[in-house]
Amino acid sequence: MNDRPQPAAEFGIRAARTDDAAETDRLYDICLRTAASGKDATDSFEDPRLPGDIFLAPYLRYAPDLAWVLARPDRPASGYVLGVADTVAFEQTLEREWWPALRARRSGDPVREGSADAFARKWIDRPPTAPAEVAAAYPAHLHIDLLPEAQGGGNGSRLIHTLLGALRSRGVRGVHLGVGKANADAVGFYRHIGFEELVEEPAAFILGMNLQGTGRG
């Protein structure tokens, strides 16, 4: 009999089950637990659904074919990557269909000034859009979030490369993302896999990657 501890099963990547309410709830939880520059924001939000309403659910609804999760066999997801091929079209769709309904649904919810909830509500009321020059040259964008248990071991890189491959197959010319300057580990990770700085904002960088040129990434 072998009493030695067995290694944990490796993480695999599969398409997100966007019609599975339990999986969606799990992804909302991941979004919340990584919403503080990659760290757990559970104690920061009075409404724990707010981060997911902004950074998760619109992608699952309007770009479900560009959503993948990272999970061990028969276990709930430990991370995900989301993307859209056309940022401008996506932003226009959200302004028509997503943000108005979300604003109406949350209009009566009180929030404390200066709180994380207040910041999220301001985002919903006035969502930022990609700079025109960025969206023209790097029309796709992505979000990736991993719980600590899934960080390292190349999991983030594998998730992103899954999305990049799908974008390349569609002929998308470039992809961009935003990352807070406070999240130094993430900035270093993105640069390591081939993203380059496009725009420096007061609290964040916009990084981009050419998908149809040198083949980097």
Side-chain angles (χ1 to χ4, degrees):
M1 180 176 180
N2 186 355
D3 293 327
R4 290 182 298 177
Q6 298 299 304
E10 292 186 359
F11 287 99
I13 296 172
R14 59 168 173 77
R17 298 167 181 156
T18 56
D19 58 349
D20 184 328
E23 175 145 300
T24 298
D25 285 344
R26 173 65 172 182
L27 300 186
Y28 261 86
D29 184 56
I30 294 171
C31 189
L32 175 65
R33 291 166 62 189
T34 56
S37 294
K39 302 292 192 280
D40 194 343
T42 301
D43 293 336
S44 299
F45 283 91
E46 296 177 20
D47 181 348
R49 302 283 288 184
L50 273 172
D53 282 345
I54 296 170
F55 300 112
L56 170 73
Y59 297 84
L60 299 181
R61 177 168 179 178
Y62 296 107
D65 54 336
L66 290 175
W68 288 270
V69 302
L70 183 81
R72 290 192 172 105
D74 301 318
R75 300 286 296 173
S78 293
Y80 59 77
V81 68
L82 311 165
V84 299
D86 186 334
T87 295
V88 173
F90 179 71
E91 291 172 346
Q92 292 171 345
T93 297
L94 296 197
E95 194 51 56
R96 287 195 312 270
E97 302 179 18
W98 184 259
W99 301 126
L102 194 57
R103 290 166 192 149
R105 192 167 78 242
R106 297 189 176 281
S107 61
D109 298 341
V111 293
R112 291 182 295 106
E113 186 63 32
S115 66
D117 292 64
F119 176 82
R121 287 281 292 276
K122 288 177 182 176
W123 186 295
I124 292 168
D125 290 339
R126 294 180 296 277
T129 57
E133 66 275 13
V134 171
Y138 304 85
H141 78 267
L142 67 86
H143 290 289
I144 180 172
D145 289 309
L146 296 174
L147 295 179
E149 67 204 47
Q151 294 172 11
N155 290 321
S157 180
R158 290 195 298 125
L159 264 180
I160 286 185
H161 283 295
T162 299
L163 175 59
L164 298 185
L167 294 174
R168 285 193 180 99
S169 71
R170 299 180 182 199
V172 177
R173 61 186 296 189
V175 59
H176 72 273
L177 56 86
V179 58
K181 291 181 178 178
N183 196 347
D185 289 343
V187 173
F189 165 73
Y190 292 130
R191 286 175 170 161
H192 176 72
I193 63 173
F195 282 85
E196 299 175 340
E197 182 180 323
L198 303 177
V199 178
E200 181 175 0
E201 299 177 334
F205 296 110
I206 298 178
L207 307 178
M209 180 188 291
N210 181 346
L211 296 178
Q212 302 296 331
T214 63
R216 290 184 64 187

